[in-house]
Amino acid sequence: KDLSWMEDGKVATYIPQLGNVDPNQFGIALMKVDGKIFSVGDASVSFSIQSICKPFLYAFGIQFNGEDLMTSKIGVEPSGAAFNSEKLSEEGKPFNPFINSGAIACCANIALGDGNTRYKFILNFMSSLSYTGVLGIDEAVYHSEVETADQNRLIGKVLLEAGVIENEYDMTHGLDSYFKACSTDVNCL
């Protein structure tokens, strides 16, 4: 069924740079098991990955720290709250890795140095899973993320107070690597 006439919805503006995205862009790509790719529309147009980075962050956290550590810091249950809520579970940890608090906890517990170093490891991991093998960062989106991150900084402080994040250094650099991970440039191919 042709749905190209639909114009419902709006681009996200809670991060100002995201408001600049052309709402008429649409692309999709599929790869068969034999490696043949089919794509239509704006499949080669880059966009920032945003929250789609969260499964990759959790997978990397498990690979780096092991499942036991990650599940001791982050739950696996639905939260019933907004994606950017600072609310923690009764156990005092993020409900799951697919909300901001869980993703920030992932990045903060990947103790590989500062935010740049953590992001390089995260980027290499995500790149290794991509078709092209090479991903990068959208610097304009990253700076826009940093400028509007008050709620995520609050989440970081809540996680620090709850002991999910061990220290101020890991909170600060975990947040920075999270902002960068959300700003990773991808396309459908």
Side-chain angles (χ1 to χ4, degrees):
K1 184 174 180 180
D2 182 10
L3 300 175
S4 61
W5 57 269
M6 291 185 74
E7 294 185 6
D8 295 354
K10 296 179 180 166
V11 295
T13 56
Y14 60 92
I15 298 168
Q17 190 65 27
L18 299 182
N20 296 331
V21 174
D22 179 356
N24 295 310
Q25 289 177 346
F26 178 82
I28 190 166
L30 301 170
M31 178 187 284
K32 292 176 49 176
V33 293
D34 66 4
K36 186 166 181 163
I37 297 175
F38 300 91
S39 66
V40 295
D42 301 309
S44 63
V45 174
S46 294
F47 57 93
S48 65
I49 195 169
Q50 292 301 306
S51 285
I52 302 302
C53 73
K54 292 171 181 172
F56 299 105
L57 295 174
Y58 192 56
F60 183 69
I62 289 173
Q63 184 181 55
F64 181 77
N65 290 316
E67 186 176 356
D68 289 344
L69 176 72
M70 294 308 287
T71 55
S72 75
K73 301 282 187 179
I74 304 163
V76 292
E77 299 298 328
S79 70
F83 74 97
N84 63 346
S85 173
E86 70 276 9
K87 180 181 170 187
L88 300 179
S89 71
E90 289 179 8
E91 295 85 26
K93 58 186 181 180
F95 285 91
N96 64 70
F98 308 121
I99 55 178
N100 289 17
S101 60
I104 291 166
C106 284
C107 290
N109 282 288
I110 298 170
L112 289 166
D114 67 10
N116 286 328
T117 304
R118 291 170 200 231
Y119 178 62
K120 284 179 188 172
F121 279 95
I122 292 165
L123 185 64
N124 286 339
F125 177 75
M126 290 195 301
S127 292
S128 75
L129 300 173
S130 74
Y131 177 71
T132 63
V134 180
L135 299 176
I137 188 169
D138 183 323
E139 290 288 343
V141 171
Y142 166 68
H143 292 293
S144 194
E145 292 257 5
V146 169
E147 291 168 7
T148 58
D150 291 344
Q151 180 62 23
N152 285 326
R153 287 186 187 92
L154 172 64
I155 290 169
K157 290 188 183 300
V158 168
L159 294 172
L160 180 64
E161 290 171 10
V164 174
I165 298 175
E166 301 292 326
N167 55 62
E168 187 94 20
Y169 181 87
D170 284 336
M171 181 192 73
T172 300
H173 294 287
L175 281 164
D176 187 55
S177 60
Y178 172 68
F179 302 147
K180 288 178 174 149
C182 290
S183 304
T184 300
D185 230 9
V186 297
N187 65 40
C188 298
L189 298 172

